[in-house]
Amino acid sequence: MLLLRLLPLAFFTIWHVQNATAISDGDRDFQNQILTGYNSKIRPVKAETTVTQVTVFLNIAHVEKVDEAEQTALVHGHLWASWTDEYLQWDRAKTNVTKITLPSHRIWQPALALYNSARGNTWHLYMAGMPATVYFNGKVWSSGTFSFFVTCQFDFENWPFDKQNCPIVIADWVYGLAQVNLSDPNMISEYAKPSIRLSYDPLERKNKRHVGGWEVMDAWKKHCYWGPKGCKEDQPEGEPDWYWSLLEFGIVLKRHLPYFQMTVMIPIFITSILVLLGFWIEKCALSSFIIFFNLALQTIYGYNIIKKLPPGSGTIPKVVQIFTLNLLITGTQFFIAIMFGFIKEWAPKNFSFNFGIDITDIPKRMGIDTFFQPKGLSFDPQDLFVDHDKIAAAEAGDDTSTIGIGNPLNDDEFDHFQNSATPSSNTDTELLINLPTNSDPENVLDSEKVENSEERKEKIPEASIENQLDLQLLHIKRFLFFLVVFIYCVAFLMILFL
């Protein structure tokens, strides 16, 4: 019984193998018939004036070894080329054959070459790894894999957020424009530029884009005609033998290093804040210390950024320009702080600058005097917990504020206190309290107020003259603060939009 069951299976297997062999033998006979008298070294046109239109497609499969110092990149992928071979045509109605596959080395192929090759062994492109597909109308499709070690031209102006272009320049190095044109007018535009497929994992739905710290953003394709006057996009008139059809494929690479935002941009932001903070610190010694600390911090950061910088080629990176600007501002600020401290220490008494105009009055006219108040930033605990306004008022004799004893009694409260404390009978105590008119408490208080007010009138002008220099220096620092803020805004806008 088992033998009877196996006999039909064996019969169908033998029949299928014999049928496949017969078909294979038929294809082989047809191939030999097509290639009889065929010369793969001759351009496949029956009229020499006919231009062979060649269409080239690329697929980018991998990018590696992006060398910033050498400005090269190793690109792997697949290449397809299509053209019409007038000697590989047949009547489909008679042969009942639509297409056949032929060994690529047995038919004519365009002599494609990589013109921007960084190595000599990748100069010529051979599509002999896979058989070519030939249709009945003579349309030939040939394909192969490639590994192009191409030269790039890097520009590090926007480092570490830079984008780099790596072109792949292909041309036919044997035939000129009169024989071969690498631009097919019937080509579909959506297949013009190279496709990017860095992963063929069927389970991973996300398209892979990141390789070796770079993100493959996009690709492009350009076509031009290279001749004595350079590369022209429009087909030139005149002698076509003087021009060659040239294709430029390319990929756009973007640096993908997210941690650079932490190691590059945040230190610049912190040092810029310290620069602005130096204009608001009240004490000269503390301000000088903060600025000196900022200079030391920028020195450490500058050494770190120098180690990460790419080779010096092209435009200076904008990050370096911002760092240099920040360092120059900090150095100038440190010099100004030392000069202000020297002027305060050694300037003569009642000295002040004569600018021709009163700079202390400018903020009032502009309505921004709030930002020019003498009170600045201080990190002294005594300055943080002691109200110096009350101390100054008390020293000037102001009866509206005292230190540690609360608010004083007004006149009505004092009279009420006096009446409540006065005995009803005329005793010695009453006589002592009821002093003469010139010793009346109200008169005493009034006289003290007048004396204190006169003393304040005498002291205030003198104090204002002594503090005029400090007030001018404070206004200069605040004006410099707004100037530096304006410089920073312009610099960052230039980085973002230029």
Side-chain angles (χ1 to χ4, degrees):
M1 295 294 296
L2 180 61
L3 183 60
L4 293 176
R5 292 179 180 178
L6 293 177
L7 283 177
L9 180 61
F11 173 77
F12 285 112
T13 302
I14 295 172
W15 176 83
H16 178 75
V17 171
Q18 289 180 350
N19 188 30
T21 304
I23 295 175
S24 178
D25 292 339
D27 290 343
R28 188 179 297 108
D29 294 339
F30 186 72
Q31 291 178 8
N32 294 332
Q33 180 183 353
I34 289 294
L35 294 176
T36 300
Y38 185 87
N39 190 348
S40 61
K41 297 180 180 180
I42 300 177
R43 193 166 61 94
V45 291
K46 297 180 179 179
E48 188 61 27
T49 56
T50 303
V51 179
T52 303
Q53 302 289 343
V54 179
T55 305
V56 180
F57 304 92
L58 288 184
N59 172 64
I60 307 299
H62 187 57
V63 180
E64 63 172 321
K65 297 181 180 179
V66 180
D67 194 331
E68 298 179 11
E70 298 293 336
Q71 297 196 19
T72 57
L74 183 57
V75 184
H76 306 278
H78 308 88
L79 182 145
W80 292 270
S82 177
W83 63 91
T84 300
D85 194 322
E86 297 182 1
Y87 294 109
L88 297 179
Q89 297 177 346
W90 64 88
D91 190 353
R92 181 174 56 175
K94 294 181 179 179
T95 60
N96 199 23
V97 177
T98 302
K99 63 178 181 179
I100 60 173
T101 57
L102 298 175
S104 298
H105 66 277
R106 297 189 62 182
I107 63 175
W108 179 88
Q109 293 185 7
L112 300 180
L114 180 65
Y115 271 45
N116 65 325
S117 174
R119 293 181 180 178
N121 56 356
T122 58
W123 177 264
H124 301 289
L125 307 182
Y126 300 101
M127 295 176 289
M130 299 180 64
T133 301
V134 183
Y135 290 84
F136 69 96
N137 57 359
K139 195 70 172 180
V140 180
W141 282 89
S142 184
S143 63
T145 59
F146 65 85
S147 294
F148 294 155
F149 206 92
V150 297
T151 58
C152 309
Q153 186 174 359
F154 288 175
D155 187 1
F156 302 108
E157 181 180 5
N158 295 320
W159 182 90
F161 310 104
D162 51 328
K163 294 181 181 180
Q164 308 297 346
N165 297 326
C166 285
I168 302 172
V169 183
I170 297 176
D172 192 309
W173 64 280
V174 173
Y175 298 101
L177 182 59
Q179 293 82 29
V180 173
N181 188 3
L182 298 184
S183 178
D184 190 348
N186 298 322
M187 182 177 59
I188 303 176
S189 59
E190 62 178 307
Y191 299 109
K193 68 179 185 179
S195 59
I196 301 173
R197 186 69 181 272
L198 304 182
S199 176
Y200 289 89
D201 188 357
L203 300 179
E204 184 64 34
R205 296 183 179 181
K206 295 182 180 179
N207 190 11
K208 179 182 176 182
R209 290 281 181 171
H210 302 89
V211 287
W214 295 88
E215 180 182 359
V216 184
M217 296 289 296
D218 199 3
W220 82 85
K221 177 184 178 182
K222 298 179 182 178
H223 177 256
C224 70
Y225 300 96
W226 181 263
K229 297 183 180 180
C231 208
K232 298 181 179 181
E233 295 184 359
D234 298 329
Q235 187 167 349
E237 299 179 357
E239 292 292 336
D241 291 330
W242 294 356
Y243 295 89
W244 287 265
S245 181
L246 187 144
L247 285 177
E248 180 184 284
F249 300 94
I251 55 176
V252 180
L253 301 176
K254 181 181 179 182
R255 194 184 301 272
H256 184 73
L257 297 174
Y259 59 86
F260 268 21
Q261 298 181 3
M262 299 291 293
T263 59
V264 175
M265 301 308 299
I266 290 183
I268 291 182
F269 177 76
I270 293 176
T271 54
S272 302
I273 294 298
L274 289 177
V275 169
L276 299 177
L277 187 66
F279 293 106
W280 289 85
I281 297 178
E282 188 174 356
K283 294 187 177 181
C284 181
L286 180 59
S287 176
S288 301
F289 173 76
I290 293 295
I291 299 172
F292 182 78
F293 172 75
N294 192 10
L295 283 173
L297 187 65
Q298 292 187 46
T299 302
I300 298 174
Y301 164 66
Y303 176 75
N304 184 36
I305 198 175
I306 287 175
K307 294 193 300 183
K308 296 179 180 180
L309 278 175
S313 60
T315 311
I316 298 176
K318 294 180 179 179
V319 173
V320 177
Q321 297 178 14
I322 288 295
F323 170 76
T324 305
L325 175 65
N326 204 19
L327 188 62
L328 290 176
I329 292 177
T330 308
T332 306
Q333 185 187 30
F334 185 67
F335 175 76
I336 292 175
I338 294 177
M339 290 298 299
F340 281 10
F342 177 82
I343 293 173
K344 287 183 178 181
E345 184 69 23
W346 297 100
K349 187 177 182 182
N350 300 333
F351 173 80
S352 62
F353 293 103
N354 184 11
F355 297 104
I357 58 173
D358 187 6
I359 63 173
T360 61
D361 192 48
I362 295 178
K364 297 179 181 179
R365 296 178 180 179
M366 299 178 63
I368 56 173
D369 53 327
T370 305
F371 299 99
F372 289 81
Q373 297 298 325
K375 185 65 176 178
L377 298 178
S378 176
F379 300 95
D380 190 348
Q382 295 181 0
D383 296 337
L384 295 176
F385 298 104
V386 176
D387 194 343
H388 291 273
D389 294 335
K390 290 185 177 181
I391 295 177
E395 292 178 351
D398 191 354
D399 60 350
T400 59
S401 61
T402 57
I403 303 173
I405 60 174
N407 296 326
L409 298 176
N410 53 31
D411 295 341
D412 296 335
E413 291 175 345
F414 185 81
D415 293 339
H416 178 72
F417 173 76
Q418 180 183 7
N419 295 331
S420 62
T422 303
S424 58
S425 61
N426 295 328
T427 60
D428 295 337
T429 305
E430 181 180 1
L431 294 175
L432 292 174
I433 294 176
N434 296 327
L435 297 176
T437 307
N438 57 353
S439 299
D440 188 76
E442 295 181 359
N443 297 331
V444 172
L445 291 175
D446 293 338
S447 62
E448 290 179 353
K449 290 180 181 179
V450 172
E451 292 177 357
N452 292 335
S453 62
E454 292 178 354
E455 290 178 359
R456 288 197 301 270
K457 291 180 181 179
E458 295 177 356
K459 291 182 179 180
I460 289 176
E462 182 180 357
S464 63
I465 293 175
E466 292 177 354
N467 295 331
Q468 182 67 22
L469 177 62
D470 293 339
L471 195 60
Q472 287 180 335
L473 296 179
L474 181 139
H475 278 69
I476 293 175
K477 289 176 64 175
R478 299 296 164 82
F479 282 128
L480 291 176
F481 166 79
F482 287 105
L483 177 62
V484 172
V485 170
F486 175 76
I487 292 175
Y488 278 151
C489 292
V490 173
F492 282 109
L493 288 176
M494 291 178 63
I495 285 181
L496 294 176
F497 300 104
L498 295 182

